[in-house]
Each structure stands twice: as C-alpha cells, then as structure tokens.
Amino acid sequence: MKNNILVLGGNGKTGRRVVQRLKKLDQNVRIGSRSENPNFDWENPETWSAALEGMDKVYITFQPDLAVPGALEAIEGLVKEAKRKEVKKLVLLSGKGEREAELCEQVVINSGIDYTIVRASWFNQNFSESFFLDSILAGHVALPQANAKVPYVDADDIADVAVAVLMNDKHNGEIYELTGSRFLTFEEVMNEIAEASGRDIEFTAISLPAYTKMMEEHGIPSDYIWLINYLFTEVLGNDDNQVITHGIEQVLGRKPKDFSDYVKETAATGIWNQTVQV
C-alpha cells in the first residue's frame, strides 16, 4: 500500500536516508526542506500547511536539536497543523537523555495522532558529516568530556528503524531508544579513525570553557555554541545517559552497526583524507 509521507529534514543526516529507503519501497515521498516545492521552513510556520497537505504520515526531525529554545513551540505548532490536515501518524526523532527533547515528545504523544518516538544516541556521522569533521581533517581534535563513554549509533540504523516504524502500525505508541552496542571515548574514536584512514590525528582533552572560547574565536554562531554547551553538559556530562539500549534489536531483529564497521566504510570513501584548505 502506498502512503504519502512527508520527511522533514529530508536532505539531512537521517532524513535523506529515510527518503532513499521509502522510495525503494515505492512510497510517495515529499521532502520537507526550504529548497523544495512546496517548501518547509521551521522558522516560517506559514510554509507548514502546504507541506502537510495530503500527507498520511510525517517523519519529524528538528534542526538543530529539540533541546534548543523555541523547539517546543515549533513542535506544538506543527502537531496542531498536522491534526488539522488529518495526518494519521507522526514519527519523531528525539535525542536520548535530553530533558527538553522529552517535552517535545510529550506534545506528539498527547496529540491524539498515532505516533512512534525514536530516541537516538550521538551519531557516528558526527565525525564524517557534521560537528567534528573539520578538526579531524586538520589532524588535531580538542574536546571536553574526554572520559565520557558514548554508545554511538549509525544514521543508517536510525533510518532503518524510522522506516520500519513508519510502515508498520505495530510500532504505534512505542518509544525506542537507539544506541550502538559498545561505548567509546573521544580518544578511542580518534584512534580508530586515524588507523583506518592512515593518518595522524592528535586528541587533546580541554575544559568546556576553553572549548567555548575556541568556538567563539572561530566565529561559531552563539545559538550553536549554546547547543554544544548543552550537549556536553546535560547529555555527555550525565552518567545516567551512558547506557546501551536494545531498540535496534527490538525493531529490526538485528544488532546495530558496529562503530568499527562505520569507520572502515567511511574511510574507504576518502572523506577523512581530503586536503584541508588553509
């Protein structure tokens, strides 16, 4: 059966993977993005109605993160419009261990629309498609919370779960927590990437204030700096979040992709061997 599915953030890390998988399943997919027609812009609620028009289901990712100020109001507005447009199901990508994100989850849970919540740990792809790529390319990574143990999860696994719960009503009303199957510190991550890419990558542990100062000196926007501070304090700084869960096994009946497999596959693309423009 064909569904009309809106994928918000359909060009992002998980969104584009979800789009690819849904198209392979011959679903009617609409990408929710500022560059599409009809366009979707989180900062312009007037775009939401046209994007939701005729949609049966919606995969919701919020940029840059559900923890940021304004996210809760945006999710409330979107859910209200989705209900008006008679959307049948919502799948929300949430952050594992983020209290603010859980407030957004409650909006979806109490919407009266069928839903599944997918709570993800930090992504493997943060090292190849996001936050940390530039410093890896420079060969020197300096980060706070050096001893934090993170069960990184792969964006491909998140997308597989998202598609499974979008396509099967047996997952309605469920909250799935997705992690990898082992913990890694930042230094262990860098060692694996260095070995697989054949490069020297130096890791230095620094304080959060020093990291904040470094971001400010590099002209990083203040809202992004706020988010990084939040994630390093509330998420990585909380021992309760250093937990391995089994949501991927529950939904897909298989183990998560191991971080080493992600590193080998990614190193083979050459992404970590690019020339850095100075």
Side-chain angles (χ1 to χ4, degrees), residues 13-247:
K13 281 197 286 293
T14 66
R16 74 171 190 276
R17 291 170 164 89
V18 169
V19 168
Q20 289 164 356
R21 286 158 172 75
L22 289 173
K23 285 183 173 176
K24 279 186 182 173
L25 293 173
D26 201 29
Q27 300 299 300
N28 295 324
V29 184
R30 176 178 290 167
I31 295 173
S33 160
R34 282 180 291 199
S35 60
E36 299 293 324
N37 186 17
N39 74 321
F40 180 93
D41 184 350
W42 277 112
E43 293 178 11
N44 183 5
E46 290 178 8
T47 64
W48 301 353
S49 178
L52 287 163
E53 186 67 46
M55 294 294 105
D56 301 311
K57 301 178 181 184
V58 185
Y59 175 62
I60 305 170
T61 66
F62 184 84
Q63 296 300 324
D65 193 282
L66 287 175
V68 302
L72 179 60
E73 292 77 11
I75 295 297
E76 286 172 341
L78 181 83
V79 166
K80 189 176 179 183
E81 189 61 25
K83 198 161 186 181
R84 204 171 72 79
K85 292 292 184 181
E86 298 184 346
V87 169
K88 299 179 182 69
K89 183 165 183 175
L90 303 172
V91 173
L92 177 69
L93 179 64
S94 184
K96 184 172 167 288
E98 297 179 20
R99 285 173 297 179
E100 283 77 1
E102 289 176 18
L103 296 175
C104 295
E105 292 174 11
Q106 287 302 315
V107 174
V108 172
I109 289 168
N110 295 315
S111 66
I113 304 173
D114 285 335
Y115 71 88
T116 308
I117 306 295
V118 177
R119 283 184 194 152
S121 185
W122 275 31
F123 299 2
N124 294 342
Q125 281 71 16
N126 287 345
F127 300 103
S128 52
E129 299 177 20
S130 189
F131 300 149
F132 308 122
L133 179 58
D134 287 347
S135 51
I136 289 171
L137 292 177
H140 183 201
V141 179
L143 291 169
Q145 296 289 5
N147 296 320
K149 293 178 170 63
V150 182
Y152 293 99
V153 65
D154 199 84
D156 285 325
D157 284 343
I158 298 169
D160 284 343
V161 167
V163 169
V165 302
L166 279 164
M167 298 303 295
N168 195 321
D169 287 345
K170 76 178 183 181
H171 300 292
N172 289 359
E174 298 290 345
I175 298 175
Y176 294 112
E177 294 203 341
L178 311 188
T179 72
S181 54
R182 63 189 175 104
F183 296 112
L184 292 115
T185 63
F186 285 128
E187 188 166 17
E188 288 167 340
V189 165
M190 296 311 152
N191 288 342
E192 289 211 23
I193 293 173
E195 187 176 342
S197 60
R199 296 187 52 227
D200 290 326
I201 302 171
E202 183 185 341
F203 176 77
T204 305
I206 60 172
S207 69
L208 188 55
Y211 189 57
T212 299
K213 187 166 183 286
M214 195 167 75
M215 287 191 289
E216 288 169 350
E217 287 169 353
H218 281 82
I220 305 295
S222 59
D223 55 348
Y224 182 85
I225 292 174
W226 180 92
L227 174 60
I228 291 294
N229 270 281
Y230 173 88
L231 293 174
F232 274 98
T233 307
E234 297 296 322
V235 181
L236 292 193
N238 183 352
D239 288 344
D240 291 341
N241 290 330
Q242 295 175 12
V243 175
I244 288 168
T245 62
H246 301 284

